[in-house]
């Protein structure tokens, strides 16, 4: 294979991208988009490249477990050579339509082009050894929790945390689900079209569309890239995960209300709030100027700019900018560890620690403290995160209520009455429940004067 053609091949490009992701902390989605554009990859090659990059990131602990016995001096192994092996093993184990010969031949060619003759011989030898010996079973790992960590390719601390919170059976189910491909979902902009109309328009553009078990506002879409569709560009659908739609759905936004979206960027929930308003307004805050601009752009595309007031402000400064009791409803979609998004953003599980989660819980509580006074008597404060750890979810709510007896937690309700038989007041959606993102929602009502 000529060098020029090889260097534009999905396997070669996957090694380049993954080396940057693992060693330099590059964002996989940005690196992928830039690479696909730069090399003008066709649909087939772009799909394979995307599969290799996300697949290796998702499965890296498992892949490294399999590779380890074949590398005698790991400290001397160049980063890109290790990545080359991980990409090869991933194809052998998870992509059954790719012949072993093709995987071996191109991996050896990449080693030859990127390295020297000694590297090529080393890579050839290791690959042949893997073929002869096969990959070791995870059954060799005696400790059950450690074995689950390797099998699910999830850090041990997070596996232990999940088992402690939801039990081994549920933890296994969650961890099995996060390595599945995420659904592509959209929220229908009911200001412009009905769910039926949106479905018909997307189908007319060649998409396969099914309804969602999570919310009546969502559609699951496959067979193409939604942001390239006319329906998306017209603002009739917004790309958003189903679970993320539930926070605003639980707020029951109606007509003339004054609403604060305290952590609003990029504006998905802001535009959803605006869908329920008539003469009301949603003030949408973000600490960063460029993100405030993004909120405005998304409001314009959704054709709800007249209902949205974007503003640059740290949510922890709300009390200095807004009057007490100014808002009927306040949403705090708080900054969080994002551990409910592991199916969609697999690198999160390797970059976050338990300490990160603990530190975030302090910020989350500070934001709730800051917005509390701006909620009117009888109004509602809704708290949500896209994580599944209780220390960022119900524990934060419980700590807030201990400091603010003027609020009480009420049961979170959704249009489809999800988990209606649960004992908890808050609603936790785990990634395995509906194959949507993990999410938490709590609804708090501010008591009226004279209420107990």
């Amino acid at each position: 294979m000529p060098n020029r053609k090889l260097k534009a091949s999905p396997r070669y490009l996957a090694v380049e991208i993954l080396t940057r992701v693992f060693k330099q902390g590059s964002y996989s989605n940005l690196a992928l988009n830039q690479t696909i554009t730069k090399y003008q990859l066709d649909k087939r090659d772009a799909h394979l490249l995307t599969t290799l990059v996300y697949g290796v990131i998702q499965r890296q602990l498992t892949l490294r477990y399999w590779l380890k016995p074949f590398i005698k001096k790991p400290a001397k192994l160049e980063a890109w050579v290790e990545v080359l092996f991980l990409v090869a093993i991933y194809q052998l184990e998870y992509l059954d339509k790719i012949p072993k010969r093709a995987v071996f031949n191109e991996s050896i060619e990449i080693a030859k082009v990127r390295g020297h003759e000694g590297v090529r011989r080393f890579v050839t030898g290791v690959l042949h050894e893997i073929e002869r010996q096969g990959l070791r079973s995870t059954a060799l790992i005696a400790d059950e929790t450690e074995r689950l960590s390797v099998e699910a390719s999830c850090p041990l601390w997070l596996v232990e945390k999940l088992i402690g919170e939801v039990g081994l059976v549920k933890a296994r189910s969650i961890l099995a689900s996060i390595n599945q491909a995420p659904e592509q979902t959209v929220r229908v902009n009911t200001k412009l079209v009905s769910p039926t109309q949106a479905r018909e328009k997307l189908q007319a553009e060649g998409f396969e569309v099914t309804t969602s078990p999570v919310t009546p506002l969502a559609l699951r879409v496959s067979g193409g890239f939604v942001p390239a569709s006319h329906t998306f560009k017209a603002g009739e659908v917004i790309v958003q995960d189903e679970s993320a739609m539930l926070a605003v759905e639980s707020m029951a936004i109606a007509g003339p209300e004054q609403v604060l979206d305290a952590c609003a960027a990029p504006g998905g929930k802001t535009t959803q709030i605006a869908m329920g308003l008539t003469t009301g307004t949603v003030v949408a805050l973000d600490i960063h100027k460029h993100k405030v601009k993004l909120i405005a752009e998304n409001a314009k595309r959704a054709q709800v700019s007249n209902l949205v007031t974007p503003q640059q402000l740290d949510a922890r400064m709300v009390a200095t900018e807004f009057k007490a009791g100014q808002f009927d409803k306040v949403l705090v979609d708080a900054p969080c560890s994002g551990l409910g998004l592991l199916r969609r953003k697999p690198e999160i599980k390797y970059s976050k620690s338990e300490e990160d989660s603990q530190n975030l819980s302090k910020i989350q509580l500070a934001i709730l403290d800051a917005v509390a006074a701006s909620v009117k008597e009888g109004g509602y404060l809704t708290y949500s995160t896209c994580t599944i750890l209780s220390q960022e979810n119900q524990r934060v709510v419980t700590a807030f209520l201990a400091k603010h007896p003027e609020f009480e937690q009420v049961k979170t309700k959704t249009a489809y009455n999800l988990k209606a038989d649960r004992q908890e007041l808050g609603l936790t959606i785990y990634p395995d429940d509906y194959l949507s993102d993990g999410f938490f929602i709590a609804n708090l009502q501010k008591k009226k004067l004279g209420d107990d």
Side-chain angles (χ1 to χ4, degrees):
M1 181 184 294
N3 286 358
R4 184 175 296 177
K5 185 178 179 182
L6 178 68
K7 288 182 177 180
S9 70
R11 294 179 181 88
Y12 190 98
L13 295 173
V15 172
E16 284 202 331
I17 291 172
L18 287 163
T19 302
R20 297 207 307 269
V21 169
F22 291 155
K23 302 305 175 184
Q24 299 171 23
S26 299
Y27 291 108
S28 58
N29 60 330
L30 297 180
L32 263 171
N33 291 339
Q34 291 166 357
T35 301
I36 290 169
T37 301
K38 178 181 177 180
Y39 290 91
Q40 297 182 317
L41 299 183
D42 61 28
K43 188 175 180 179
R44 181 179 175 183
D45 282 352
H47 176 72
L48 177 56
L49 175 61
T50 302
T51 299
L52 293 175
V53 169
Y54 283 135
V56 171
I57 291 172
Q58 271 184 327
R59 302 282 186 175
Q60 63 177 285
L61 296 186
T62 314
L63 297 172
R64 287 196 165 105
Y65 170 81
W66 283 329
L67 176 63
K68 187 177 180 180
F70 301 99
I71 306 300
K72 307 306 179 189
K73 297 179 179 179
K76 294 186 176 182
L77 190 65
E78 289 188 72
W80 72 265
V81 178
E82 181 194 30
V83 170
L84 178 62
F85 286 134
L86 299 181
V87 172
I89 295 171
Y90 177 79
Q91 292 172 88
L92 294 172
E93 288 299 302
Y94 296 107
L95 302 183
D96 53 8
K97 292 183 180 180
I98 298 180
K100 182 187 295 184
R101 176 172 47 82
V103 175
F104 278 28
N105 288 347
E106 193 160 343
S107 297
I108 293 167
E109 281 298 310
I110 292 170
K112 182 179 177 180
V113 170
R114 284 207 57 155
H116 49 71
E117 179 60 20
V119 173
R120 185 197 64 77
R121 287 200 302 270
F122 174 70
V123 169
T124 302
V126 170
L127 291 176
H128 287 163
E129 197 67 22
I130 289 172
E131 185 177 26
R132 282 193 297 271
Q133 292 187 24
L135 301 171
R136 60 178 175 170
S137 170
T138 54
L140 297 172
I141 304 172
D143 183 80
E144 187 173 20
T145 306
E146 184 182 349
R147 185 167 64 251
L148 182 55
S149 169
V150 171
E151 289 174 345
S153 194
C154 191
L156 188 60
W157 78 266
L158 183 52
V159 174
E160 291 173 340
K161 196 78 176 172
L162 285 174
I163 291 173
E165 292 194 2
V166 301
L168 180 60
V169 173
K170 181 65 173 177
R172 279 189 178 280
S173 179
I174 292 170
L175 292 169
S177 77
I178 63 174
N179 288 321
Q180 297 178 34
E183 297 278 0
Q184 181 177 217
T185 58
V186 298
R187 173 171 52 79
V188 178
N189 183 357
T190 54
K191 284 284 190 188
L192 304 179
V193 290
S194 69
T196 300
Q197 289 171 327
R199 180 174 183 169
E200 290 172 350
K201 289 190 173 202
L202 287 167
Q203 287 172 332
E205 292 194 61
F207 293 96
E208 295 176 18
V209 187
T210 57
T211 55
S212 165
V214 179
T215 167
L217 287 176
L219 297 171
R220 292 181 172 182
V221 186
S222 60
F225 185 55
V226 170
S229 69
H230 296 299
T231 311
F232 175 87
K233 291 175 182 176
E236 294 167 339
V237 296
I238 290 90
V239 175
Q240 191 176 21
D241 185 79
E242 297 145 287
S243 296
M245 302 176 201
L246 296 175
V248 176
E249 184 174 285
S250 75
M251 294 170 72
I253 301 295
E257 291 177 322
Q258 297 300 310
V259 184
L260 175 66
D261 188 353
C263 309
K269 294 179 184 66
T270 301
T271 59
Q272 187 178 353
I273 290 169
M275 279 192 340
L277 297 174
T278 52
T279 57
T281 303
V282 51
V283 177
L285 308 181
D286 194 87
I287 193 171
H288 301 291
K289 185 177 181 179
H290 70 282
K291 290 188 177 181
V292 174
K293 183 180 178 183
L294 186 59
I295 295 168
E297 289 171 354
N298 283 326
K300 183 178 180 180
R301 189 176 59 78
Q303 299 182 41
V304 292
S305 294
N306 60 313
L307 300 167
V308 177
T309 304
Q311 183 174 336
Q312 184 180 359
L313 184 71
D314 185 331
R316 289 169 290 188
M317 302 301 293
V318 163
T320 66
E321 291 288 322
F322 300 102
K323 294 183 294 185
Q326 183 168 337
F327 297 103
D328 299 285
K329 291 173 181 174
V330 173
L331 171 64
V332 174
D333 184 44
C336 69
S337 60
L339 291 170
L341 310 178
L342 298 185
R343 187 185 294 112
R344 208 171 296 280
K345 298 180 179 179
E347 56 260 62
I348 287 176
K349 60 186 173 183
Y350 309 111
S351 63
K352 299 295 182 182
S353 67
E354 186 168 5
E355 185 179 5
D356 291 331
S357 181
Q358 291 168 345
N359 290 336
L360 281 162
S361 66
K362 298 172 186 175
I363 295 171
Q364 292 154 355
L365 182 57
I367 294 173
L368 286 175
D369 284 340
V371 304
S374 69
V375 183
K376 78 172 188 180
E377 290 179 16
Y380 289 86
L381 169 57
T382 296
Y383 174 73
S384 65
T385 73
C386 55
T387 193
I388 52 177
L389 298 182
S390 62
Q391 66 194 19
E392 295 180 60
N393 293 340
Q394 187 59 46
R395 287 188 201 172
V396 171
V397 172
T398 301
F400 171 78
L401 292 173
K403 296 175 68 176
H404 294 270
E406 71 273 22
F407 283 88
E408 61 179 345
Q409 187 171 4
V410 297
K411 193 164 188 176
T412 296
K413 297 178 181 179
T414 64
Y416 284 164
N417 293 316
L418 301 179
K419 298 189 173 184
D421 58 349
R422 71 187 188 278
Q423 297 299 309
E424 302 83 8
L425 295 174
L427 175 63
T428 302
I429 303 294
Y430 291 102
D432 63 323
D433 290 337
Y434 309 101
L435 297 184
S436 59
D437 289 346
F439 224 83
F440 172 80
I441 306 159
N443 299 98
L444 314 173
Q445 185 173 23
K446 195 170 194 178
K447 301 171 186 176
K448 293 181 179 179
L449 282 175
D451 290 351
D452 292 332

